[in-house]
């Protein structure tokens, strides 16, 4: 039987207490796919964190555009 994996995704700003959650315990079905298609903006010092709540294995694929406005 395949179980859902629970995933958290958040942006860690200046300190870990300033985290902004994008997903909180989002179920991803076993051998299934979940697509987060919203656009987010990260500025210098921000970290995008993906964390599994359950024990398991997932593959993560992402794409980004690096822009320098200076």
């Amino acid at each position: 039987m395949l179980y859902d994996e629970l995933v958290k995704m958040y942006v860690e700003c200046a300190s870990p207490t300033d985290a902004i959650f994008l997903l909180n315990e989002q179920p991803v079905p076993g051998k299934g796919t979940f697509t987060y298609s919203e656009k987010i903006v990260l500025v210098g010092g921000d970290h995008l964190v993906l964390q599994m709540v359950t024990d398991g294995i997932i593959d993560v694929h992402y794409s980004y555009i690096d822009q320098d406005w200076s």
Side-chain angles (χ1 to χ4, degrees):
M1 175 178 244
L2 298 173
Y3 296 99
D4 290 346
E5 304 292 348
L6 298 177
V7 177
K8 291 182 180 183
M9 183 169 68
Y10 58 94
V11 176
E12 200 171 80
C13 302
S15 70
T17 57
D18 294 338
I20 300 168
F21 277 83
L22 305 171
L23 299 173
N24 191 16
E25 298 190 11
Q26 171 68 41
V28 177
K31 293 194 178 189
T33 301
F34 174 78
T35 302
Y36 184 83
S37 59
E38 299 298 319
K39 294 177 177 77
I40 61 172
V41 176
L42 302 176
V43 296
D46 288 352
H47 301 278
L48 182 62
V49 180
L50 201 71
Q51 186 178 56
M52 291 185 57
V53 177
T54 54
D55 292 332
I57 298 171
I58 60 171
D59 293 324
V60 177
H61 301 272
Y62 62 92
S63 62
Y64 64 93
I65 298 171
D66 186 13
Q67 293 182 324
D68 183 359
W69 298 92
S70 58

